Amino acid sequence: MAAVKKADIKKFFLDTKVSEVMVSPVITVKETDDFALVQEKIALYDVRHLPVVNAAGNIVGIITQRDLYQIHSPRRLEDGSWYYDKQALSQFLLSKVMQPNPFTLKPDNSLYEAIEVTVRSKFGCIPIVDDYKKPCGILTRDTILKFLIA
């Protein structure tokens, strides 16, 4: 078996567009949504990252499962499941606890660019946006790895 050359791998990553790897459609929350909705969507859709959009649908922030845990920890019930107190969650304003102005890429950016910035900046995800800053996908470390082993 011929050895794979590092230059060939780099070329593959440069030639692969983010649009080929991203998850779409992307699950979002509105900056005015009740904070309890963040936990509901994370659980319902089994995601760890939610782009936050304004009334026009433009991305203004991101909230992650890790942020949720740091803001309000869940309780473990006797059956082993986790429980969030929705009333306690609702005391937080999403617009105040989200990470504002997240780094984004466009669908035509290369996978190489996405991987490079993910590693350099230790991002868990990169929202993918159109020319109007509307989310059209999301790229996570897991989606990159799943793409590479598929």
Side-chain angles (χ1 to χ4, degrees):
M1 179 181 227
V4 177
K5 295 179 184 173
K6 188 176 180 181
D8 292 337
I9 295 171
K10 185 173 182 178
K11 182 177 180 345
F12 170 76
F13 287 138
L14 286 167
D15 291 345
T16 303
K17 301 295 179 204
V18 166
S19 60
E20 298 173 55
V21 184
M22 69 184 192
V23 173
S24 182
V26 61
I27 308 302
T28 63
V29 287
K30 294 179 187 149
E31 65 183 337
T32 56
D33 283 343
D34 189 298
F35 191 69
L37 186 60
V38 170
Q39 186 276 321
E40 289 175 22
K41 284 192 171 186
I42 285 173
L44 178 64
Y45 295 104
D46 192 26
V47 296
R48 293 186 306 212
H49 310 90
L50 291 171
V52 181
V53 297
N54 61 17
N58 305 84
I59 191 163
V60 293
I62 195 150
I63 190 81
T64 69
Q65 186 178 44
R66 180 177 288 167
D67 297 331
L68 176 62
Y69 289 162
Q70 290 175 345
I71 292 164
H72 182 73
S73 298
R75 289 183 332 170
R76 186 174 283 258
L77 301 176
E78 288 181 19
D79 66 1
S81 64
W82 292 99
Y83 170 76
Y84 277 94
D85 180 347
K86 289 184 185 202
Q87 189 173 16
L89 286 175
S90 294
Q91 294 176 14
F92 297 94
L93 294 175
L94 179 55
S95 61
K96 300 294 182 193
V97 297
M98 69 181 186
Q99 299 168 32
N101 305 312
F103 177 83
T104 61
L105 288 174
K106 293 190 177 179
D108 286 339
N109 285 104
S110 74
L111 184 56
Y112 181 86
E113 293 172 90
I115 291 172
E116 191 276 328
V117 75
T118 297
V119 171
R120 181 174 31 87
S121 301
K122 299 181 181 178
F123 292 148
C125 77
I126 300 174
I128 310 304
V129 297
D130 64 17
D131 292 335
Y132 304 101
K133 297 285 282 176
K134 295 188 185 320
C136 57
I138 193 163
L139 189 65
T140 68
R141 290 177 183 215
D142 284 356
T143 56
I144 293 169
L145 291 172
K146 287 176 185 175
F147 173 77
L148 293 174
I149 65 170

